[in-house]
Amino acid sequence: MSPALAGAELVRTPVRLYRYLLRCCKLLPTAAMQKHYQHAIRQSYNSHADEDDAERIQMIIQRAISDADWILNKVTFFGT
């Protein structure tokens, strides 16, 4: 499965992940879906803001990117 948006391999920090995921939201088909996922991304970013374990941060980044890929593939698949 390929990344949803070019640049996924450059995501190494929480801030870059946040920006990457917000850019992925722009690929969603409806404004309601975009707002929903933007809100979820903000909430998750805020809830993990105090995380300081580098290994845990990398796990969160990998999982978030794979989840974004899954969501965008699902929307693309069911939208066609």
Side-chain angles (χ1 to χ4, degrees), residues 1-77:
M1 186 180 323
S2 65
L5 195 64
E9 64 281 351
L10 301 175
V11 175
R12 299 272 186 256
T13 65
V15 173
R16 284 192 183 233
L17 174 65
Y18 180 75
R19 293 177 64 205
Y20 172 81
L21 293 174
L22 289 179
R23 284 194 309 272
C24 285
C25 285
K26 293 179 182 179
L27 301 175
L28 295 170
T30 66
M33 289 176 77
Q34 291 174 7
K35 286 183 120 1
H36 170 78
Y37 284 106
Q38 287 169 350
H39 178 73
I41 291 164
R42 284 186 191 102
Q43 293 288 35
S44 182
Y45 181 80
N46 289 333
S47 71
H48 292 291
D50 60 346
E51 187 66 56
D52 58 358
D53 179 16
E55 187 175 323
R56 173 80 174 127
I57 290 170
Q58 288 307 310
M59 286 175 45
I60 292 169
I61 289 171
Q62 290 171 355
R63 179 62 189 255
I65 290 171
S66 68
D67 287 351
D69 289 344
W70 183 84
I71 290 167
L72 288 172
N73 286 334
K74 177 182 168 188
V75 168
T76 303
F77 178 75

